[in-house]
Amino acid sequence: MAAHPSDPTGHLPSEHDPLPPHEDDTLYGRALRRGARTLVLLVALFLAAGWWLHTSLAPSYESTAAVLVTSTGEPGAAPTSERTVDGVVNLDTEAQIVVSADVLAQASQRLHGDLSATEVADHASIAVPANTTVLEITFAAGDPTLARRGADALAAAYLANRERQARASVEGRAAELRSQLIALEEERQDWADRLEAGTATPAVARAHLEAAKQSSASVARSLSTMNTAAISPGRVITPAQTPTSPAGPRPELTLGSAGALGLLVALGVVVHTERTRPRLHDGEDVRRELGLPVLASLGSDLLSTPSLAPGSATAATLAGLGRRLPASPGSQVLVLGVAGSSAAGAAALALATRMDGDVPVRVVLEDASLSPVTSTPALELTAVDGAAGLRRGSVAGATRSLVEVWDLAGNATALRDLPRDDAIVVLGASAGSPLLDLLVGTSTRSVLLLASGRDRAPAARRVLGELGRTDLTPLGVVLHAPGRPGRPAAGPRPPAGPRDSEPSRSPAEAGREASSRVPTRPERQRVPVGGAGHPVEGHHGAGDQRHGVTERRRTDSLLLDRALARFREPGPGR
């Protein structure tokens, strides 16, 4: 395989080859700059989805009842202002009691069965403000009245349950004291009987009687305290109110979450796309992704009918490219389009009409029906006798009388039926065309045609792989701005030169002028090609430096000169 123009080792870029480490420095900048539209669209889409979700959710109303937790009256029971401490009363424990099964069942009964105990638990939330003995019981519901009723019912059920538990505790303690008092009375009576019967030592019997009497008095006092204890479970210090506005869903929370999610997704999409399937917008992209120089940049008028008209941006740019390429007799130039043969055919025809020299030029189109410029009245194609589908015509060139145009009509094998002479052949084809196999070993120079901002690097790498397989490694890349047939060229027109400012001529007039003119080829001067992109530079020297040629254009020119020198060297098949 022949060496690649930008890599003497012969290595062709692959779509799986990683980028050099320094190229990733601006990856995120390119992704943000070129993916701005995608970012805006995806974020807007997620915001719209968030707004739809917000409007589709039912409103939620919240009402809160504040309960002051006081001592229940039990001996040793006292509230604490800390949430979690060692003590009889613990507000964290009380908060859990609020949502216990007994309290929830009582709250459901107070709501007359409108909500089950499980539903009451799902709608309730408990909070303990710092440094207080207050429980805030919040109830959420779709109806503001139900929210108020739920908070009041839960607070009342909690207080009722706490009072019942306190009373049960006091009654249990009183029952124990009564049992102790009965036992002490029985013990005192037993020692009194022994003392009277003389079966016990009088001193011992009197000591036991005194101890029983004192114990009975202490237990009797405790029992009296229990019987007279006031049970106070607490009280509601702030009754629940009927809410006047919904507490949720909050639009700023819904839309903020949707926008943040959309931004993350959009960033992931644009960065992934720029990393794996970047579009080729300019010469910097071409050099970074493909390692090829940019020979010319064309405007959108390449796909318009008047693209061959003198003075057009495309005509001026291709004129410079035509003067740059060697035009020896019998040489062949292939213009290969990545996305299709439409632009390739247009570029091949426009390039042929702008080439200098007196050597005849022949244009071969893979399928003229796909080339918009062939619809111009100046080009008429007629069928060739004895060749199925093959058509022939001619068009006036800018520097020669006529340019032959051959249409293969999609039949690549018809290429063998073309005349064998010293004419320069310019072919226009698309990626994957059968013409590539027919051109193996013909020393055909190829130019890759890319639609700026539309063609992607993986597709271009696949085409480079096809060209490398057929030994048709391209000299460089021609970028063209995508456009629609019939639309005017985008961007300013270049200054009209002596040749491009001439009015349109008939084929006969063009032939008479071409016969009286001796074409010359500028070899060492900078060729101003104008157009909507980068100009093509000539050989480098002191003149270029005086004109301030940039380093990037010098690199492109050197890469092109190296590729052209390879084709000038004698060798097998050359």
Side-chain angles (χ1 to χ4, degrees):
M1 181 183 298
H4 193 267
S6 61
D7 189 352
T9 63
H11 171 71
L12 282 174
S14 167
E15 84 180 271
H16 303 293
D17 286 349
L19 291 177
H22 67 278
E23 295 295 351
D24 274 345
D25 294 343
T26 59
L27 170 65
Y28 299 101
R30 295 197 309 272
L32 292 176
R33 184 175 65 256
R34 297 174 179 175
R37 181 178 300 178
T38 302
L39 283 172
V40 172
L41 289 178
L42 284 179
V43 171
L45 179 62
F46 273 78
L47 286 176
W51 178 253
W52 173 83
L53 179 63
H54 173 74
T55 55
S56 62
L57 293 176
S60 176
Y61 296 86
E62 292 184 353
S63 183
T64 301
V67 177
L68 177 65
V69 182
T70 61
S71 174
T72 58
E74 299 177 68
T80 177
S81 60
E82 298 293 336
R83 295 199 59 169
T84 306
V85 296
D86 293 333
V88 179
V89 177
N90 186 296
L91 289 183
D92 279 340
T93 302
E94 297 299 318
Q96 296 301 316
I97 293 176
V98 175
V99 291
S100 63
D102 292 341
V103 175
L104 294 176
Q106 294 180 43
S108 178
Q109 293 177 1
R110 292 174 181 271
L111 291 174
H112 308 293
D114 292 343
L115 295 175
S116 65
T118 303
E119 292 173 332
V120 172
D122 293 338
H123 291 74
S125 60
I126 313 300
V128 181
N131 301 320
T132 67
T133 58
V134 175
L135 293 178
E136 292 183 345
I137 302 175
T138 303
F139 197 86
D143 179 70
T145 303
L146 182 59
R148 175 187 57 78
R149 290 177 55 214
D152 284 338
L154 197 56
Y158 163 71
L159 292 176
N161 179 77
R162 191 164 189 263
E163 182 179 6
R164 185 174 61 255
Q165 294 293 335
R167 290 190 180 281
S169 176
V170 170
E171 290 176 359
R173 179 64 177 161
E176 292 178 0
L177 292 175
R178 281 192 292 269
S179 298
Q180 293 179 13
L181 187 60
I182 292 173
L184 289 173
E185 182 61 25
E186 290 177 351
E187 181 181 1
R188 189 192 66 79
Q189 185 62 42
D190 180 60
W191 284 106
D193 292 342
R194 289 183 183 185
L195 180 61
E196 184 178 353
T199 57
T201 304
V204 174
R206 290 190 185 94
H208 279 283
L209 287 173
E210 184 64 23
K213 180 181 178 180
Q214 292 179 0
S215 296
S216 296
S218 176
V219 171
R221 287 193 299 270
S222 297
L223 180 60
S224 175
T225 301
M226 287 292 178
N227 290 333
T228 60
I231 303 300
S232 176
R235 61 188 179 88
V236 177
I237 57 176
T238 305
Q241 303 293 326
T242 303
T244 58
S245 60
R250 298 169 57 186
E252 60 273 14
L253 180 61
T254 305
L255 295 181
S257 301
L261 180 60
L263 182 60
L264 289 177
V265 172
L267 287 174
V269 168
V270 298
V271 171
H272 176 74
T273 301
E274 186 63 27
R275 181 183 293 274
T276 59
R277 300 177 60 245
R279 296 184 186 271
L280 302 173
H281 290 262
D282 50 31
E284 188 64 31
D285 291 337
V286 172
R287 279 181 288 271
R288 181 183 63 254
E289 301 293 340
L290 306 181
L292 291 174
V294 176
L295 307 180
S297 294
L298 310 178
S300 59
D301 60 347
L302 176 63
L303 298 181
S304 63
T305 300
S307 63
L308 300 181
S312 68
T314 298
T317 306
L318 288 174
L321 180 59
R323 288 191 292 268
R324 188 72 186 280
L325 295 175
S328 58
S331 60
Q332 295 186 155
V333 178
L334 171 65
V335 179
L336 189 66
V338 172
S341 60
S342 173
L349 187 58
L351 176 61
T353 59
R354 308 302 298 185
M355 294 183 71
D356 286 335
D358 53 0
V359 180
V361 177
R362 180 180 299 120
V363 178
V364 179
L365 303 177
E366 183 180 16
D367 193 346
S369 62
L370 302 178
S371 299
V373 295
T374 60
S375 62
T376 175
L379 175 60
E380 295 181 0
L381 298 174
T382 58
V384 178
D385 295 337
L390 187 62
R391 298 191 302 167
R392 178 183 178 183
S394 61
V395 66
T399 62
R400 58 190 71 247
S401 57
L402 292 176
V403 174
E404 290 186 9
V405 180
W406 292 77
D407 175 23
L408 303 181
N411 182 16
T413 57
L415 183 66
R416 301 189 181 97
D417 298 332
L418 268 60
R420 305 286 181 174
D421 51 25
D422 292 337
I424 301 173
V425 179
V426 182
L427 303 99
S430 60
S433 171
L435 287 176
L436 300 182
D437 293 327
L438 298 177
L439 296 176
V440 175
T442 59
S443 301
T444 301
R445 303 156 190 158
S446 60
V447 174
L448 195 63
L449 185 68
L450 297 175
S452 176
R454 179 176 296 175
D455 288 335
R456 297 184 180 272
R461 294 192 190 108
R462 286 192 293 269
V463 175
L464 286 180
E466 294 180 13
L467 293 175
R469 177 179 56 81
T470 55
D471 197 19
L472 297 174
T473 304
L475 302 175
V477 171
V478 173
L479 290 172
H480 77 90
R484 299 178 183 176
R487 294 187 64 180
R493 294 167 58 95
R499 179 178 302 159
D500 293 332
S501 61
E502 297 173 358
S504 300
R505 300 160 298 167
S506 66
E509 293 174 345
R512 287 193 298 270
E513 292 182 13
S515 62
S516 61
R517 182 172 59 243
V518 179
T520 59
R521 180 184 307 277
E523 293 294 341
R524 303 183 61 83
Q525 62 181 0
R526 182 175 182 270
V527 182
V529 299
H534 305 296
V536 179
E537 301 296 338
H539 295 284
H540 293 288
D544 286 335
Q545 296 175 0
R546 288 194 300 269
H547 286 82
V549 179
T550 63
E551 185 64 26
R552 185 174 63 183
R553 294 176 178 174
R554 291 195 187 97
T555 303
D556 284 351
S557 182
L558 289 174
L559 292 175
L560 177 60
D561 291 340
R562 184 192 304 172
L564 294 177
R566 179 171 62 85
F567 284 100
R568 296 191 186 101
E569 295 175 357
R574 301 300 184 196

